[in-house]
Amino acid sequence: MKIIITGGAGFIGSSLINLLIKKGHTVINIDSLTYAGNLKNLNFVEKHKNYFFIKSNICNTTKIIEIFKKYNPNAIMHLAAETHVDNSIGKPNTFIRTNINGTYNLLEAARNFLSKKDKNFKFRFIHISTDEVYGSLGSIGKFNEKTSYSPNSPYSASKAASDHLVRAWYKTYNLPTIITNCSNNYGPRQFPEKLIPKMIYNILNNKPLPIYGKGKNSREWMHVQDHCEALLLIFLKGKIGESYNIGSGI
């Protein structure tokens, strides 16, 4: 199948592209190459006949419509986002523009694309989000797909808003969407602003280890490869209109 990936030069996106190419799919990677995106993350596929890269911002309406028309995709897996909580506190406007306006632009481009297709044309819009939209969890219990949204930062609020847009486009326009909300990821090629690579870097360079809040926060962690395997399964077998939480249970 032909799949558009947004944010494919990033940590999770590059791992997902690697998996999809190995499984025989064609991938069209759209990435604006911000500080967190690096084409070196894609050295393993850059010359593959089933891989195409387009440098573009997801807010560029004209370009996104052109890409849909040119490649005639069977799906879009939307990962492009501003993601770091600390950055969202200092520059919330960037998060609003990319995470909310960018998602809206993709939804409308997909809706325009499908309006010209036969009703039997198979297409899915997979929106990859975060469990941070649910807010904070106590020392016991787990989030589930019916947990109320309670975002606590500009980042999580912007992702919650994008989730709501995706759901609304399914309910209002019957756009075939699926939402996924995953716990914290770790693994190769992760940008060093994130907790685990930051701690490793500081240890190797004899720098102090940062304590977040009072040091009592607890998060669930998942290897990026496991996340991507789950995304592929949801893409192939997930039910349109559903939301799926993805976690490791640890």
Side-chain angles (χ1 to χ4, degrees), residues 8 30 62-63 76 119 221 239:
I30 303 173
T62 301
K63 187 66 175 180
I76 178 169
K119 65 179 181 178
W221 291 90
K239 183 179 178 181

Side-chain angles (χ1 to χ4, degrees), residues 82 86-96 154:
E82 298 288 341
D86 292 350
N87 291 348
S88 78
I89 295 171
K91 296 181 178 179
N93 60 313
T94 304
F95 286 71
I96 300 304

